[in-house]
Amino acid sequence: MSGEALLEAVRAGRTVEAAGLLDGMTDGERRSCLPALNELRKGLRSSQWTWASRGTAAALHAAGAACHTGAAGAATWIAGADMRWSQASPGVLLHVLGDRETDWLADLTHRLAARPVTSRIPFELLSGLVGLSGCEVPTTDAYVRGWFEHIGASWRGGRSVVQRLRRDPHLPVMVAALFESPEAMGQLTWMFDQGPGNWYDALAELTAEGVLDRKVLLDLCVARLLRGGAPAEQRIFLRLLTSLAPTREEERERSADWTAMACQAIPAVAWHAQAVLAALVLDGELTTGELAEMSSGVLFRTEKKLVRTQLVLLGKVLKRDPSTASVLLPVVAEAFGHEDTDVQERALKLVERHVAALPVQDGGRARVGELCADLSPGLRSRALRLLGIEDPGTGGTVHDEVLPPVPERTRPAAAPESVAELAEEVGALLASGGGVATFERALDGLVRHAHGDREKLLEALGPVVARCWWKDRDPGYPVVDRVFRESAGGLEIVLASLFEQVSMHTLHAAVQKGSTTGTCHHSALSRAVDARLWEAAFRLRTDPMPFLLATPSWDTGLLEPDDLVARLAEYRRLDARPGQADFAQALLRVRRDDPAAAAASAARARAIGSPEGSRLAQWLTAEEPLLPTGRRRTSGARILLELGELEEIQGLFPKEFRLLGRPLTVFKDHQYCRHWNFGEQRHWPAVVPGRRELVAARLLSDLSTAAVEDTRMNAALLPLLAEADGPAGEALHLCLAYGLGARRSEDRLAAVDALLVLAARGQLDAGRLGADLAELVRRDALKKSRLAESLRTAAATGAYATAWSVLCGLLPDLLAGLAADGAGANAAHGLGDLLAVAADCAERSGARGDLAHLAETAERRGSSRMVTQARRLRTALTREAAA
């Protein structure tokens, strides 16, 4: 009877009544209620969410926790994800569980505390269970996070953080756990510095009072800084460490730790460690050997500020005690290999001031001489003269130009012969995408096998599409059709049609009317791709095609005319009807750069006797048109390109393909763009193979906006365009210019890859690119520092001559602007970085000659980075070549 009353109270959402009934029930009675409670739980999962159901869920949560007589079952019930949003309060749960034995409660406590943080077990429940059971406090991520949030919520009780901490009986254990829980700390970094009386001050005050062990807390801070982690997390421990104000003795005891931080930690931590070590060094607290060990690591870092500060410290020590030169000067010389020539020169000057303290036969002098090989050519000659070593040549070493191998065309494999192989390839494409060749092979395979044995194909593909979002959707639910009308989604529209998960009405409308969306600059390319996919999906259900005509012969998307003629002849033999979109794509892909071969193929196409054969013959024998005329336009700081009409892609082409030949304007078609996925973009060059300028022009708006406005972009298409066929003209070079000045390093790397591929293929117009870069810099569209980093990266691959050829077109305009800009503050900013890259390229490539306006910059007063690097570049360009 008590079980029926409990179930009635739970259904009605009367939690207090249910808790009272549970108090008088035996374990057996409680267990007997579990089946009914589980059924009620199943019903709540599918029921409508109302205030009544929320009350039922809370009562059910408490009852189920109490009726489980095993700790494992109770923990699973309490932490259930489906009951997370309407739980019983911690007070109710503690009441209904309070009659359990302490060992059982301890087991439950640790099981709940071991749950992930995302389970959101209330800390009030966990801490209450600790109090009831008397068990050791858990130190899991979930418990530590809950404890941290509980202490930090000082507004609830009117007490400050330090007051709450002082009252906590488990304070030492929990503070240590906080340091040892990277997940909890990573999620709580934003809360550590909240308001007056924050955690830093609170922990420092408790340490000063002796409530917390000072040595333990210092060791914990140092250990976390040595361990590394996210910069935000590291800054917390650094600030906590400084708030503890270590004494000189405490700092000296941890000198090895400071050395490790200075060499390996994030810049903020390394800077602090370097300052601590510098104070110890200047006070004589560290030996020369310890200073040398520390300096070797710091001088290896890329942060110029840290390296320069270390050189200053070494200079002070050498000036105070010249006898340390034999130990410290070889360490200073290790900076000769730094990527920044300013650092190299600072190190060389330090060696120059103290080299007299090195005995001629000293091993340190020999080591410095060996390290001179790492200096830039100009500084190397100066260093060798200093050491009395014969210079092997005044011109330095000229490096051979190293460029990536020229990409070669490859023929894709034929469509898979078995449905099992096809299903495997389709699964791989759905999971991780693929290139044009892989995609076209799979698409052709789907069409072929659907025409041959549809049922066998469906059986093989069943496990592959089981997890697709559209599989087994309610036919009356229109979301599938709506999504596919907005975007075909690659192979998914074909698969969804094959499994009849998209309506015939939607497919017919897509084939007849085209896309319902897409008026951005990319829509001409995307709509052509989608038109062919919709057509294939529609024909699978109405008139399956035996195979596709437009499957490319080469991985670049090009289609050999003989291959297309043979396919049309087979269509004629089978009396099959070609798809309009498929045939249109085949025409755009067919190769026409060999007039003799095209004429021979045209004769065979005409002999087929079909309308498509005649159309192909006409296409092959027509004069291949030039690219549409282009015109530069400016929009704010950006330079964009407009294209005129391409009449050839009009007329008999389907509506969705005619957009490719329509004029491209800058100030129209700015509507919503959905083409952010590289998986879709990688197919665009294959829509118009041999005419990559049509694709590049449509990418300019995105690339320029991302570079100018520092928004996110995806320049991954640039290397594919560099590998594609066709002239590399104004649009592609402008895209490359914006990519080299992009905000994200990965986009700049993609642009560098494209630059090197174009150079390897002999298609890079370095003068054009340099002029475009200069104009964009003058318009404040690109930052010089980013360009310098990109060109430095290109040069570091061995392409010094290529990078120099681009800089030859870029620097004269910028140097001319510097001379015309009065004080030159704007024009000078970042110019030193570009000049440093140029000097390095000139020295290593053996470039000679005059660079316009360089002499005026080199003759300026002062020793700024810009002037220093201008002088270095002038020296490299005027140095006599080595004999």
Side-chain angles (χ1 to χ4, degrees):
M1 188 70 179
S2 57
E4 294 179 2
L6 174 65
L7 293 173
E8 179 62 29
V10 169
R11 291 190 186 97
R14 298 192 294 270
T15 305
V16 175
E17 180 182 339
L21 292 170
L22 286 164
D23 288 341
M25 296 175 66
T26 66
D27 284 353
E29 291 173 333
R30 293 184 180 187
R31 282 194 297 269
S32 67
C33 295
L34 280 176
L37 293 175
N38 279 316
E39 287 300 318
L40 182 57
R41 182 178 180 179
K42 291 179 184 178
L44 280 178
R45 289 172 182 165
S46 58
S47 66
Q48 188 175 5
W49 197 243
T50 62
W51 284 106
S53 63
R54 290 185 65 180
T56 300
L60 177 64
H61 190 234
C67 288
H68 277 86
T69 55
T76 301
W77 181 279
I78 293 171
D82 58 329
M83 309 183 76
R84 192 170 299 161
W85 303 109
S86 186
Q87 299 182 358
S89 69
V92 170
L93 288 174
L94 291 172
H95 173 79
V96 298
L97 297 172
D99 58 351
R100 298 289 183 183
E101 295 179 356
T102 56
D103 289 346
W104 189 96
L105 289 173
D107 187 11
L108 175 64
T109 303
H110 286 280
R111 288 178 182 274
L112 289 175
R115 293 274 174 169
V117 172
T118 52
S119 296
R120 304 301 297 175
I121 306 297
F123 177 74
E124 291 80 359
L125 173 62
L126 292 174
S127 61
L129 289 171
V130 169
L132 286 174
S133 65
C135 65
E136 292 185 2
V137 60
T139 56
T140 62
D141 287 334
Y143 195 89
V144 172
R145 178 190 174 96
W147 176 82
F148 186 93
E149 292 177 339
H150 172 73
I151 295 295
S154 58
W155 55 270
R156 292 179 180 173
R159 297 189 180 94
S160 64
V161 170
V162 69
Q163 290 172 329
R164 283 183 165 237
L165 288 173
R166 191 178 286 114
R167 292 165 58 91
D168 192 290
H170 308 291
L171 178 61
V173 175
M174 294 310 301
V175 168
L178 185 64
F179 280 82
E180 295 299 326
S181 176
E183 180 179 346
M185 179 52 68
Q187 295 176 343
L188 298 170
T189 50
W190 65 276
M191 294 179 60
F192 214 87
D193 190 21
Q194 295 293 313
N198 54 60
W199 279 80
Y200 305 108
D201 298 336
L203 293 176
E205 183 177 339
L206 293 173
T207 303
E209 294 173 1
V211 177
L212 291 173
D213 188 302
R214 178 178 178 82
K215 183 179 184 302
V216 169
L217 200 57
L218 283 172
D219 288 342
L220 287 171
C221 286
V222 170
R224 282 309 300 263
L225 292 174
L226 286 171
R227 187 188 305 175
E233 175 187 329
Q234 290 284 283
R235 282 191 287 269
I236 282 182
F237 293 112
L238 177 60
R239 182 172 168 186
L240 179 57
L241 179 64
T242 55
S243 69
L244 294 174
T247 65
R248 179 53 54 86
E249 181 61 30
E250 290 169 334
E251 290 177 339
R252 188 188 309 109
E253 290 173 356
R254 295 169 175 82
S255 59
D257 297 328
W258 303 126
T259 298
M261 290 181 211
C263 297
Q264 301 173 7
I266 65 170
V269 176
W271 180 257
H272 175 77
Q274 185 186 47
V276 171
L277 289 170
L280 291 173
V281 167
L282 296 177
D283 287 346
E285 303 278 356
L286 289 186
T287 66
T288 303
E290 290 172 324
L291 173 60
E293 178 187 359
M294 169 227 183
S295 300
S296 292
V298 174
L299 295 178
F300 187 73
R301 296 186 65 121
T302 57
E303 297 88 358
K304 290 181 283 190
K305 184 177 180 181
L306 283 167
V307 175
R308 291 170 182 169
T309 303
Q310 194 67 23
L311 289 174
V312 170
L313 174 62
L314 288 167
K316 290 179 179 179
V317 175
L318 285 165
K319 183 178 180 181
R320 186 175 64 182
D321 185 3
S323 66
T324 61
S326 59
V327 176
L328 296 183
L329 281 187
V331 175
V332 172
E334 292 180 11
F336 289 173
H338 199 278
E339 63 180 16
D340 186 358
T341 56
D342 284 349
V343 171
Q344 293 182 16
E345 186 166 14
R346 284 172 180 264
L348 180 55
K349 287 180 177 178
L350 190 53
V351 171
E352 288 173 337
R353 285 198 294 269
H354 300 282
V355 71
L358 281 177
V360 175
Q361 301 302 322
D362 187 82
R365 179 181 285 267
R367 178 56 179 161
V368 172
E370 292 173 4
L371 292 171
C372 287
D374 297 331
L375 287 166
S376 64
L379 295 176
R380 187 185 311 130
S381 299
R382 174 175 149 192
L384 293 176
R385 287 194 303 270
L386 170 70
L387 296 170
I389 302 174
E390 183 179 353
D391 190 346
T394 57
T397 303
V398 175
H399 293 254
D400 292 332
E401 185 75 352
V402 179
L403 292 171
V406 176
E408 296 182 0
R409 294 177 184 169
T410 59
R411 277 188 174 270
E417 294 185 1
S418 70
V419 291
E421 184 183 0
L422 174 61
E424 184 177 345
E425 291 199 8
V426 169
L429 280 169
L430 292 178
S432 57
V436 171
T438 308
F439 178 86
E440 291 285 349
R441 167 182 159 90
L443 179 61
D444 188 39
L446 288 172
V447 171
R448 288 174 183 268
H449 286 288
H451 181 269
D453 191 339
R454 182 190 183 95
E455 294 304 319
K456 192 174 181 181
L457 176 62
L458 288 172
E459 182 181 355
L461 290 173
V464 174
V465 303
R467 293 188 177 184
C468 288
W469 64 270
W470 43 263
K471 188 69 173 69
D472 296 328
R473 287 274 182 167
D474 184 350
Y477 195 53
V479 66
V480 175
D481 289 51
R482 185 172 66 249
V483 170
F484 278 128
R485 284 294 284 125
E486 294 178 357
S487 172
L491 287 182
E492 295 215 34
I493 181 60
V494 180
L495 294 168
S497 175
L498 193 61
F499 283 87
E500 299 186 2
Q501 294 295 299
V502 59
S503 71
M504 284 298 299
H505 173 76
T506 294
L507 293 173
H508 184 264
V511 171
Q512 293 297 316
K513 300 178 182 178
S515 176
T516 59
T517 61
T519 54
C520 62
H521 294 305
H522 320 111
S523 58
L525 297 162
S526 67
R527 291 172 72 163
V529 173
D530 286 352
R532 186 160 165 255
L533 292 169
W534 280 324
E535 180 181 75
F538 178 70
R539 292 286 296 271
L540 285 177
R541 304 265 287 277
T542 55
D543 180 17
M545 295 179 285
F547 51 84
L548 293 176
L549 295 172
T551 304
S553 306
W554 301 97
D555 58 352
T556 60
L558 281 175
L559 173 60
E560 289 295 331
D562 283 349
D563 290 345
L564 182 53
V565 170
R567 293 169 188 173
L568 285 175
E570 182 64 12
Y571 260 73
R572 181 71 169 178
R573 187 187 71 80
L574 295 173
D575 195 25
R577 179 170 60 89
Q580 287 187 354
D582 187 36
F583 181 60
Q585 180 63 87
L587 291 180
L588 291 177
R589 284 178 173 172
V590 73
R591 189 166 66 88
R592 298 189 290 171
D593 57 358
D594 185 344
S601 297
R604 290 192 291 273
R606 196 174 287 108
I608 294 174
S610 67
E612 289 78 18
S614 300
R615 177 82 173 93
L616 174 59
Q618 179 186 4
W619 180 264
L620 288 172
T621 54
E623 183 179 354
E624 189 171 5
L626 299 174
L627 288 169
T629 56
R631 177 175 69 148
R632 286 199 173 205
R633 299 291 298 273
T634 58
S635 175
R638 296 179 293 163
I639 300 173
L640 301 175
L641 194 65
E642 292 187 333
L643 297 181
E645 187 173 27
L646 190 61
E647 295 183 1
E648 183 190 40
I649 311 180
Q650 298 297 319
L652 299 178
F653 274 86
K655 181 184 68 172
E656 295 294 271
F657 285 82
R658 293 175 204 157
L659 293 173
L660 292 166
R662 297 281 169 79
L664 175 67
T665 60
V666 171
F667 301 108
K668 293 182 180 179
D669 301 336
H670 288 184
Q671 288 83 351
Y672 167 73
C673 176
R674 60 171 178 80
H675 308 105
W676 50 269
N677 186 0
F678 174 65
E680 179 180 2
Q681 295 175 5
R682 71 196 319 165
H683 296 282
W684 293 348
V687 174
V688 281
R691 299 178 181 181
R692 56 184 166 185
E693 282 288 285
L694 294 181
V695 181
R698 288 170 167 81
L699 293 177
L700 263 179
S701 180
D702 292 337
L703 294 173
S704 64
T705 300
V708 173
E709 299 178 7
D710 278 357
T711 57
R712 292 180 64 86
M713 62 180 281
N714 190 342
L717 195 58
L718 287 178
L720 294 184
L721 287 177
E723 295 172 4
D725 298 306
E730 189 172 18
L732 182 54
H733 280 79
L734 271 174
C735 284
L736 194 56
Y738 285 120
L740 292 172
R743 176 182 64 129
R744 297 195 304 165
S745 59
E746 51 265 47
D747 293 324
R748 294 196 295 272
L749 286 175
V752 168
D753 287 343
L755 170 73
L756 296 176
V757 170
L758 286 176
R761 300 181 70 185
Q763 297 172 340
L764 176 67
D765 188 338
R768 179 202 291 266
L769 178 60
D772 286 342
L773 289 171
E775 186 174 356
L776 290 169
V777 169
R778 288 199 309 271
R779 298 180 65 87
D780 290 331
L782 300 179
K783 292 181 171 60
K784 302 186 194 75
S785 57
R786 292 177 184 170
L787 294 179
E789 183 180 339
S790 295
L791 293 172
R792 184 184 297 111
T793 302
T797 66
Y800 294 104
T802 297
W804 169 247
S805 65
V806 175
L807 287 160
C808 281
L810 167 63
L811 286 174
D813 282 351
L814 301 186
L815 293 172
L818 178 68
D821 186 22
N826 260 350
H829 182 68
L831 187 54
D833 294 332
L834 284 171
L835 286 168
V837 177
D840 196 39
C841 291
E843 289 171 346
R844 295 176 185 271
S845 66
R848 301 293 182 268
D850 183 38
L851 192 67
H853 308 290
L854 176 63
E856 295 94 318
T857 306
E859 291 167 4
R860 286 185 166 217
R861 295 179 179 178
S863 57
S864 66
R865 177 172 173 78
M866 179 188 69
V867 173
T868 301
Q869 295 301 328
R871 292 168 183 165
R872 178 186 165 212
L873 177 57
R874 181 178 61 176
T875 301
L877 293 175
T878 56
R879 182 183 296 116
E880 294 182 5

